[in-house]
Amino acid sequence: MTAQTPRILTDAETSLVDAYAGASGWLPGEGVVKGARQLAVEALKNNGLPTRKVEAFHYTDLRALLAKGFRASPRPDATAAAERASNYSRLMNAVRLPVMDGHYFADLADDLPSGLTVMPSFLEGFGSGTGETADVVDTINTAFVTDGLNISVAADAKIDALIGIANTFAGEAGGIAATRNFITLEAGSNAAFLDRAVGPDDLSYLTSTVTTLTIGEGATADYVIAQEEGDAAQRLARFNVSLGKDATLNLFILNAGGSMVRQEINFDVEGEGAELNISGVNLIGGKAHIDVTSRITHHVPQTNATETFRNVATGAGQGVFQGQINVAQPAQLTDARMACNTLLLSDDCDFSAKPELEIFADDVQCAHGATVTDLEDSYLFYLMARGIPESTARRMLIRAFVAEVVEELENEALIEALEGRIDAWMERHV
Amino acid sequence: MLEIKNLHVRIEEDGTEIINGLNLSVKAGEVAAIMGPNGSGKSTLSYVLSGKEDYEVTEGSITYDGEDLLEMDVSERAAAGVFLAFQYPVEIPGVPTLTFLKEAMNAQRKQRGEEELTTPDFIKRVRAAAADLKIDFNMLKRPVNVGFSGGEKKRAEILQMSLLEPRLCVLDETDSGLDIDALKVVSDGVNLLRDPSRAVIVITHYQRLLDHIVPDTVHVLSKGQIVKSGDKSLALELEEKGYADIIGAAA
């Protein structure tokens, strides 16, 4: 006979388990959906949140970092939620798909251009998680997901307007906003997305989001994630991408908010000739912990990937970048490049960068590099010697540092909007 | 306008004394040349005037327009009208020159309690000043000094000087790395700025620059002290006899 001693759950773990128990009566879905949620909660009970011992979470001890006091967020009253959401100005003009506290409000959405279909559903890909500790982002989402956007772009459709997924948290302290989106670009189509998350400062809440993006043959997607959660928000996000033959993805990620952010990005490059350009800016101030963990797997020959992150850490901010590139044996002639450059502006901030290359093909080019520096004194002196006050001079140099990746984007209005958000962050932290 | 008394300066990092009891007085409207051999403390003097952090003043005072210059930080000095034309202007990637100029002009105006310039007014001023210095306006769309030749960098320094309209200009070996034509353009730019209300300190190794920017006074710096002062003829004497003779005679 074997006796199993049950684990003692931490406050954060208990709060998640209790939050599910309190909401299981109304969380959407019966039968298999409910079954999958229960399995997820069981997995959470048994495995707990990951600690540093779990390789994928080595720099983000979620068991220590995740807050407590969570509860699922029921669908808010549309009028009240819309009013609270109106506190946040639009980043830029887009076909707006409003999502509040993890619920999509189709009635408040802008008119859709032809070729674009949006259905409210979280079921695509739901329940496929492994429940393993390393997959906790998916597990928590499975337990609490309330809604999702199932977006499809018709074959050969060229959507000119930016498609804006506007996530707002307007709920109460401890609220969990959980969504699972599924986006498909059919062969030969083009579309650009702005996936933005905003919420109030000084309020602990949890955003859980899993997005799966499938890009068909010859299709091109531009995707921007603008993360501007409140300064006490927790965010567990996963972005899965599958690229078909000759498909292109230009992904840009701005992390400019949140107190504990884990952004996972998983790419499966499955079509020959596919191209993947990933770039991003992580702004880590106050006591924020921001972790971007990416895994790119090249399954087939002749695909390209570039990944460039610029990070700015200050205060007691802690940043993490883990970049894994896997090149499977058949994936000859892969060209993969990764760079992670960081400005550390204070004595108490830190940044951990971990590149990992796993290459089983012999005719490939893979490179990675990471740098960490402070602002260059001679530049600061030069600017100040012309009468520019130190704080302004520092901001100019930080802006220049991040502009090198932001200005690679092709949409001028988007560049301006993102730089505006970066300036706003600097106003508070630099 | 500028009164330096018994100034002692050392390098903060290793404590090396560079300036040892320097006295210098420069009046409004005056062009003062400071000459001296390598290592005499010329560049240190320019950095101390502009407020660079790596230097520590251990004794003495610098009074500018009746105010204690050493109490002001780098940007405050600049806003108060002190301008250093760098010997080696730095290249700053990612900061467009025009953005930099506008920030600098407006920062100074703001510190002085003046209205910020409108964009058309700003552009008009820059175009006019660039034309005077034979600078292609398109060059100013590039990042600060990036890809500029040695001569272009020095001309850009003078452009900044004329736009910022300082009251005390310190030119740190502005002639180094300039060919004869560029030297002429740069000198003409400086001469245009000569004004009864403005003082200029020209730091140089060579008499050549002083043929173009004719000084009112010439001071010889050696081992961190002014060892001899005179009028423009002193520069010619230095050129003829060399530093060793003059410094030797003064010591």
Side-chain angles (χ1 to χ4, degrees), chain A residues 377-390 392 396-397 399-401 403-404, chain B residues 50 52 74-75 78 83-84 86 90-94 100 103-104 107-108 111 145 157 160:
Chain A
D377 282 339
S378 63
Y379 298 175
L380 262 183
F381 176 63
Y382 192 83
L383 297 178
M384 288 176 70
R386 297 300 177 249
I388 299 174
E390 184 172 358
T392 310
M396 285 173 77
L397 294 176
R399 199 180 215 270
F401 175 75
E404 280 183 49
Chain B
S50 58
K52 197 166 201 251
V74 181
S75 62
F83 183 96
L84 169 65
F86 283 68
V90 294
E91 299 186 3
I92 308 182
F100 160 67
E103 283 286 348
Q108 295 203 4
Q111 289 194 45
N145 291 323
E157 292 290 291
Q160 293 171 31

Side-chain angles (χ1 to χ4, degrees), chain A residues 20-318:
Chain A
Y20 177 72
S24 62
W26 61 261
L27 280 168
E30 298 294 330
V32 288
V33 173
K34 198 156 206 161
R37 291 189 195 273
Q38 279 162 354
L39 280 176
V41 176
E42 280 308 309
L44 202 59
K45 263 191 212 170
N46 294 332
N47 305 334
L49 294 166
T51 64
R52 299 173 63 93
K53 287 180 193 156
V54 176
E55 181 65 19
F57 283 83
H58 187 68
Y59 301 98
T60 298
D61 189 332
L62 206 58
R63 202 177 284 181
L65 288 169
L66 198 68
K68 56 186 177 182
F70 293 121
R71 61 177 109 177
S73 299
R75 190 175 183 85
D77 172 68
T79 322
E83 197 185 309
R84 274 194 264 179
S86 68
N87 292 335
Y88 305 93
S89 58
R90 283 190 175 207
L91 194 59
M92 59 184 296
N93 205 13
V95 177
R96 196 160 181 264
L97 307 172
V99 179
M100 280 173 266
D101 301 354
H103 300 267
Y104 174 52
F105 286 79
D107 295 352
L108 303 175
D110 290 340
D111 292 340
L112 303 182
S114 79
L116 183 69
T117 317
V118 179
M119 299 294 290
S121 163
F122 62 82
L123 292 174
E124 199 79 48
F126 176 85
S128 59
T130 65
E132 286 170 22
T133 321
D135 279 332
V136 69
V137 172
D138 190 279
T139 305
I140 290 177
N141 186 268
T142 300
F144 293 102
V145 62
T146 43
D147 207 348
L149 297 173
N150 195 333
I151 301 175
S152 63
V153 180
D156 299 316
K158 313 284 181 202
I159 312 262
D160 290 330
L162 188 63
I163 302 160
I165 304 172
N167 301 282
T168 309
F169 186 81
E172 292 168 27
I176 301 172
T179 53
R180 182 177 287 260
N181 298 331
F182 195 84
I183 304 171
T184 310
L185 275 81
E186 303 288 352
S189 64
N190 283 2
F193 300 85
L194 172 59
D195 183 346
R196 185 184 186 213
V198 295
D201 282 339
D202 305 316
L203 187 80
S204 172
Y205 62 91
L206 172 65
T207 297
S208 160
T209 164
V210 176
T211 298
T212 300
L213 174 63
T214 307
I215 307 174
E217 184 173 337
T220 297
D222 292 333
Y223 203 100
V224 172
I225 298 174
Q227 186 275 105
E228 301 172 53
E229 304 276 15
D231 61 7
Q234 323 266 301
R235 179 180 167 91
L236 300 174
R238 180 176 278 189
F239 193 73
N240 299 311
V241 182
S242 159
L243 285 149
K245 187 171 186 295
D246 297 321
T248 302
L249 170 65
N250 302 307
L251 172 67
F252 182 88
I253 299 176
L254 171 68
N255 274 307
S259 74
M260 203 297 302
V261 176
R262 166 82 169 190
Q263 173 72 60
E264 298 176 354
I265 30 184
N266 297 326
F267 304 93
D268 285 297
V269 188
E270 291 166 324
E272 283 187 34
E275 192 174 321
L276 180 53
N277 302 305
I278 309 157
S279 59
V281 170
N282 295 307
L283 305 175
I284 311 149
K287 290 178 180 167
H289 180 104
I290 295 181
D291 170 334
V292 174
T293 293
S294 92
R295 181 183 55 74
I296 305 173
T297 306
H298 296 266
H299 297 277
V300 296
Q302 295 196 356
T303 62
N304 296 338
T306 61
E307 190 169 14
T308 312
F309 278 91
R310 291 279 162 105
N311 315 295
V312 181
T314 186
Q318 295 192 313

Side-chain angles (χ1 to χ4, degrees), chain B residues 50-213:
Chain B
S50 58
K52 197 166 201 251
E53 266 182 3
D54 314 339
Y55 301 90
E56 188 187 356
V57 175
T58 54
E59 220 185 312
S61 64
I62 304 178
T63 312
Y64 165 74
D65 260 350
E67 301 219 25
D68 183 355
L69 194 70
L70 298 173
E71 283 294 304
M72 305 184 199
D73 84 3
V74 181
S75 62
E76 289 166 347
R77 293 181 197 199
V82 178
F83 183 96
L84 169 65
F86 283 68
Q87 181 178 5
Y88 303 109
V90 294
E91 299 186 3
I92 308 182
V95 178
T97 309
L98 282 173
T99 308
F100 160 67
L101 291 174
K102 195 168 182 207
E103 283 286 348
M105 291 168 76
N106 280 333
Q108 295 203 4
R109 296 173 76 88
K110 213 167 134 187
Q111 289 194 45
R112 291 193 297 247
E114 296 165 17
E115 286 282 305
E116 292 196 357
L117 291 169
T118 62
T119 300
D121 191 16
F122 163 75
I123 294 291
K124 209 172 96 187
R125 288 174 189 229
V126 176
R127 277 194 191 281
D132 284 346
L133 287 157
K134 301 183 171 54
I135 292 172
D136 177 3
F137 186 80
N138 284 321
M139 208 170 88
L140 304 177
K141 293 174 181 166
R142 287 197 247 156
V144 176
N145 291 323
V146 174
F148 290 18
S149 70
E152 285 169 339
K153 283 180 186 168
K154 294 297 172 75
R155 265 185 282 167
E157 292 290 291
I158 305 305
L159 172 74
Q160 293 171 31
M161 192 162 96
S162 63
L163 289 170
L164 293 171
E165 300 173 337
R167 300 200 49 233
L168 174 65
C169 309
V170 182
L171 309 178
D172 187 8
E173 305 208 16
T174 292
D175 48 338
S176 70
L178 289 187
D179 61 35
I180 297 162
D181 295 345
L183 186 69
K184 179 90 173 53
V185 174
V186 166
S187 307
D188 289 349
V190 175
N191 287 328
L192 271 175
L193 286 169
R194 288 182 84 146
D195 184 284
S197 67
R198 184 175 282 141
V200 181
I201 296 177
V202 184
I203 293 174
T204 181
H205 276 295
Y206 305 108
Q207 142 71 19
R208 187 183 63 168
L209 177 64
L210 305 180
D211 288 340
H212 298 279
I213 307 173

